[in-house]
Amino acid sequence: MGGFFWENMRIALSELWGHKTRSILTATGIVIGIIAVSLMSTLINGVDGLFENSMKFLGRGNLYVDKWPWFGDEDWWTLRNRPRIELDMAEDIEERSTYAIAVAAQRGRSADLSYKEYSSEGIFINGVSANYPDVSTIDVEFGRFFTGSEDRTGAQVIILGSDVAKALFPFEDPIDKEIFVGSSRFRVIGVLAEMGKFLGTFSQDAQVIIPIKTFNKIFHGPWGMRRITVKVPEEHIEDAKEELRGIVRVLRGQKPEEKDNFAINQQKAFRQQYQGIKLAIGGTGLVITALSLLVGGIGIANIMFVSVKERTREIGVRKALGATRGKILGQFLIESMLITASGGIVGLLVSTLASLAINKFLFPASMSFGVAFMAIALSATVGLIAGLAPARKGSLLDPIEALRYE
Amino acid sequence: MPLIQVKDLYKIYQMGNTEVRALDGVSLSIEKNEYVSIMGPSGSGKSTLMNLLGCLDTPSSGDFYMDGINVATMTDNELAHIRNKKIGFVFQTFNLLPKSTSLRNVELPLIYNGEVKAQFRKDLAMKALNRVNLGDRVGHKPNELSGGQRQRVAIARALVNDPAIILADEPTGNLDSKTGEEIMALFDDLHALGNTIILVTHEEYIAEHAQRIVRLLDGKIAVDELTKKKKK
Ligand SMILES: Nc1ncnc2c1ncn2[C@@H]1O[C@H](COP(=O)(O)OP(=O)(O)OP(=O)(O)O)[C@@H](O)[C@H]1O
Ligand SMILES: [Mg+2]
């Protein structure tokens, strides 16, 4: 049986070789289909990795009390007119919530930094309470974070994101140096480890952190973001969210019939949004794949019918010499599967190159073994299905009729 | 029990309004190890009869028993098996695969013979080609061979599976008398080894190699006689 397979492979290869142009043209649809499906899954894998990496910045057990919901279709004016988040709620929340592990207040806006002749413009100034490290994934690589008493007293101390540190201190050790935030002097007490970008755009390394009391002292006015982050046990996050909603409503004195005038955001919202996008990408890719495989498959079936017709005498000779229907069927099926599998391999090579390029220029992406295997199996299956009718036709030929065929 | 037994065999082709009776009531029985020549003018039905005996064609009516088994009741796979193992068929028009070498052509029956392992195929095919004196043309494709050489490839292919019955439709038609005699000597040897041989020929001196001559005329058996060789 093994011998029969290799014999047919040999025949199929020499047939394909004998009709090079025809074979290449026929396999093009399959090549495109396989490129579509393998590149798409590679892309999704890559974007997935990117997404998961970004999600690390938003702890799974974190609830964010914000003015704006991250996603949703509420009326912009209603949202805009909501009161801003009162950061002193943080203490009350901590007191009343049964789930809260840590409650941190945060303000943010951008400002320009400078040190000697170096400067950085539009840097995100992150004013946070001293327990901020408990609710975030920041990691102080050099120096230290500020203390509770530094926060209470509004000390002018600052922790630099790694990019900021590099920009302001290309040749010096930043620790204990004095820099300017706007016109206020700050002493650098720490440098954060590199974190990367959030969803490929907002660099987490181009920020600086100062105590929130200091922030309040320096920056007046209503602008900038205000947020209370509540860390709760991940497994109770839904209950904790309901409780938190109630607490904030009471603190704000909202009437029962009033809608919430604040938002509680969580990582899940990103996830849901992302799933939607992923589904859309995947769906489009699948439609392209299905269409090109269908068209490719029809082409293969057509060319196999032509091949069976051209080789009627050959089939007659083989049957006269003892080939059974099954062997003729097998011969033509192997041939059509070889065409499509070769198309699949070519498609796979192209998308491997493409994914190398994506990896180099866009984001981390690599073709997984599973995807490669799936692509080859899929293309061979298309060959099998497309070859079935023509192969059957050949296998059912009457030997003497086939031998007489001119 | 005869090896081959046909009764009232008809093969009728309907060509528009006229019908062609290629075989018009043939009854014949051939014993194991018989050596039979079939003769007759062109169009008398010799090839038609051979195709039926070779299990390649089906009669319009009549019975055909091989080893006592009614061929009409056999499945497609059983027929394929018989064509592969039991019968070696030399076609009047050779029917070689044009794109394959002599060696590949001769290997074909071995490929469909599930009992021969791939590594022995080449050896067996080489042996068969040597028997017809074509050992030096194994790499040639049919269009690179003379008519007589093609005929010998066809004969080698018929012999390669060591079949019990050899059906040869004008196996010496394209050969000079010397090569023809060599091929006939080969058939004589095979007969001596116990094979059953049925061949079609137009030449009396070729036919005389057999023990029996069946003469067809217009699809009917006109004469069925023993040769001098048998009478001796
Ligand atoms: N497929 C066919 N359709 C119609 N008629 C056919 C067909 N095959 C054979 N015949 C007819 O059957 C008759 C017998 O043909 P066959 O080939 O058996 O002759 P033959 O004795 O082998 O002749 P030759 O010596 O020329 O080979 C011929 O008259 C031929 O025209
Ligand atoms: Mg004939």
Side-chain angles (χ1 to χ4, degrees):
Chain A
M1 197 63 215
F4 175 72
F5 176 80
W6 290 113
E7 180 63 25
N8 278 326
M9 280 301 269
R10 197 187 59 72
I11 297 169
L13 276 173
S14 73
E15 274 303 317
L16 298 190
W17 195 247
H19 302 281
K20 279 185 281 293
T21 322
R22 184 165 102 179
S23 311
I24 291 170
L25 288 177
T26 315
T28 310
I30 307 294
V31 173
I32 294 171
I34 293 303
I35 291 177
V37 68
S38 54
L39 211 53
M40 184 197 58
S41 27
T42 306
L43 273 176
I44 288 184
N45 275 351
V47 175
D48 259 347
L50 203 68
F51 180 79
E52 286 307 327
N53 223 20
S54 300
M55 283 304 108
K56 280 194 316 213
F57 299 130
L58 305 172
R60 269 182 184 277
N62 280 6
L63 293 168
Y64 301 96
V65 183
D66 286 315
K67 176 173 170 181
W68 300 89
W70 286 344
F71 302 100
D73 43 16
E74 280 144 287
D75 177 46
W76 188 84
W77 278 104
T78 329
L79 294 178
R80 214 204 86 100
N81 288 331
R82 283 177 171 179
R84 55 187 209 212
I85 300 295
E86 306 87 349
L87 294 174
D88 43 16
M89 282 197 302
E91 281 161 35
D92 298 310
I93 292 172
E94 183 136 38
E95 220 164 80
R96 298 187 191 188
S97 168
T98 51
Y99 292 102
I101 299 168
V103 181
Q106 183 182 12
R107 283 187 70 185
R109 56 167 288 167
S110 64
D112 300 340
L113 309 183
S114 62
Y115 172 71
K116 291 184 182 164
E117 73 267 34
Y118 302 103
S119 67
S120 288
E121 270 119 57
I123 297 300
F124 185 75
I125 315 292
N126 202 359
V128 300
S129 46
N131 62 352
Y132 184 68
D134 299 339
V135 301
S136 77
T137 54
I138 59 156
D139 177 17
V140 181
E141 193 175 17
F142 303 108
R144 60 175 179 86
F145 202 73
F146 58 79
T147 62
S149 71
E150 274 169 329
D151 184 20
R152 278 191 297 279
T153 57
Q156 313 256 69
V157 291
I158 192 163
I159 294 123
L160 306 182
S162 63
D163 284 352
V164 179
K166 272 180 222 136
L168 294 182
F169 298 94
F171 308 113
E172 287 178 72
D173 176 7
I175 304 295
D176 283 337
K177 301 288 178 339
E178 300 251 295
I179 67 164
F180 281 97
V181 176
S183 54
S184 319
R185 266 172 201 278
F186 276 82
R187 184 165 57 88
V188 178
I189 57 167
V191 175
L192 298 180
E194 203 174 305
M195 291 192 279
K197 289 178 178 169
F198 181 71
L199 296 181
T201 48
F202 313 106
S203 172
Q204 300 291 298
D205 299 317
Q207 64 166 326
V208 295
I209 298 178
I210 60 174
I212 191 163
K213 291 272 155 50
T214 319
F215 191 107
N216 290 337
K217 201 173 71 185
I218 297 171
F219 300 107
H220 307 286
W223 311 284
M225 68 98 93
R226 286 156 194 268
R227 160 179 293 171
I228 294 173
T229 304
V230 183
K231 187 186 173 77
V232 299
E234 203 183 313
E235 62 274 20
H236 298 306
I237 190 156
E238 291 306 322
D239 296 336
K241 188 177 176 181
E242 270 317 297
E243 187 197 53
L244 181 60
R245 213 166 70 87
I247 293 171
V248 177
R249 284 182 68 95
V250 168
L251 286 173
R252 285 195 155 179
Q254 286 200 282
K255 299 207 179 70
E257 70 278 7
E258 276 177 332
K259 278 180 144 187
D260 292 348
N261 58 6
F262 56 93
I264 298 179
N265 290 312
Q266 64 188 108
Q267 199 200 71
K268 207 173 89 183
F270 265 100
R271 238 168 242 290
Q272 280 163 350
Q273 199 72 6
Y274 175 65
Q275 285 303 332
I277 295 168
K278 201 161 98 170
L279 231 63
I281 300 176
T284 315
L286 278 184
V287 169
I288 296 174
T289 305
L291 275 180
S292 32
L293 289 185
L294 180 69
V295 173
I298 292 171
I300 302 283
N302 182 45
I303 221 71
M304 289 309 293
F305 272 120
V306 171
S307 180
V308 165
K309 187 130 195 113
E310 279 175 354
R311 286 150 74 192
T312 301
R313 275 185 75 96
E314 178 194 321
I315 295 171
V317 171
R318 291 181 183 278
K319 290 199 118 184
L321 298 176
T324 57
R325 283 179 186 174
K327 299 260 158 150
I328 300 292
L329 193 77
Q331 176 185 339
F332 284 96
L333 283 183
I334 287 174
E335 192 167 315
S336 70
M337 284 168 76
L338 188 71
I339 302 179
T340 55
S342 314
I345 290 172
V346 171
L348 207 56
L349 286 178
V350 172
S351 34
T352 305
L353 291 179
S355 63
L356 287 179
I358 291 172
N359 192 37
K360 191 159 167 130
F361 301 112
L362 288 177
F363 50 78
S366 69
M367 178 89 55
S368 72
F369 180 76
V371 168
F373 181 81
M374 184 260 328
I376 304 286
L378 185 64
S379 52
T381 309
V382 171
L384 183 71
I385 294 168
L388 221 49
R392 195 180 121 81
K393 187 178 173 206
S395 77
L396 291 178
L397 286 175
D398 180 62
I400 200 77
E401 297 288 327
L403 281 172
R404 281 200 195 112
Y405 182 83
E406 292 298 335
Chain B
M1 183 176 57
L3 174 64
I4 287 170
Q5 187 163 36
V6 298
K7 274 189 214 144
D8 293 327
L9 215 54
Y10 287 84
K11 183 73 190 181
I12 299 168
Y13 294 104
Q14 197 68 42
M15 308 291 288
N17 289 332
T18 57
E19 59 170 34
V20 180
R21 296 177 162 241
L23 289 181
D24 194 8
V26 170
S27 296
L28 181 70
S29 87
I30 294 171
E31 297 296 327
K32 191 169 181 296
N33 198 215
E34 256 195 283
Y35 196 167
V36 184
S37 290
I38 296 175
M39 300 192 75
S42 179
S44 58
K46 305 181 297 292
S47 293
T48 308
L49 179 60
M50 293 292 267
N51 289 339
L52 285 167
L53 297 181
C55 298
L56 292 169
D57 207 353
T58 43
S60 307
S61 69
D63 292 324
F64 170 19
Y65 293 89
M66 182 174 276
D67 273 332
I69 301 168
N70 188 349
V71 172
T73 65
M74 291 185 188
T75 66
D76 221 66
N77 280 356
E78 285 168 343
L79 289 173
H81 186 80
I82 286 185
R83 290 196 287 262
N84 183 247
K85 297 245 175 91
K86 196 150 187 169
I87 296 170
F89 204 108
V90 183
F91 294 92
Q92 189 170 11
T93 50
F94 317 142
N95 283 327
L96 300 175
L97 294 185
K99 283 186 262 174
S100 301
T101 62
S102 307
L103 189 69
R104 290 279 181 209
N105 266 294
V106 175
E107 276 182 348
L108 272 182
L110 297 170
I111 288 166
Y112 297 116
N113 176 344
E115 288 156 24
V116 180
K117 288 217 176 91
Q119 69 255 40
F120 301 126
R121 269 189 225 147
K122 199 177 164 194
D123 273 358
L124 288 170
M126 281 298 299
K127 252 183 221 153
L129 280 164
N130 280 326
R131 274 170 108 174
V132 296
N133 275 331
L134 271 183
D136 53 348
R137 291 290 186 276
V138 290
H140 289 234
K141 291 182 180 160
N143 63 356
E144 297 157 354
L145 295 169
S146 73
Q149 286 169 333
R150 284 181 219 176
Q151 186 144 40
R152 282 186 279 159
V153 175
I155 293 168
R157 188 178 65 182
L159 301 182
V160 76
N161 250 340
D162 205 8
I165 308 169
I166 290 166
L167 298 170
D169 198 348
E170 299 198 39
T172 59
N174 288 274
L175 303 179
D176 59 277
S177 54
K178 183 175 165 290
T179 320
E181 277 303 334
E182 280 173 24
I183 292 299
M184 288 316 293
L186 185 63
F187 284 147
D188 292 349
D189 284 351
L190 289 168
H191 174 244
L193 288 170
N195 293 50
T196 308
I197 295 171
I198 304 169
L199 58 88
V200 172
T201 181
H202 285 285
E203 312 285 349
E204 287 293 340
Y205 75 92
I206 297 285
E208 288 297 327
H209 279 264
Q211 304 162 325
R212 177 181 167 193
I213 300 179
V214 174
R215 291 179 201 274
L216 289 182
L217 191 63
D218 295 334
K220 291 190 172 79
I221 294 181
V223 184
D224 188 346
E225 60 184 357
L226 296 180
T227 60
K228 290 174 217 138
K229 201 172 165 186
K230 182 70 179 182
K231 285 171 194 160
K232 260 194 282 187

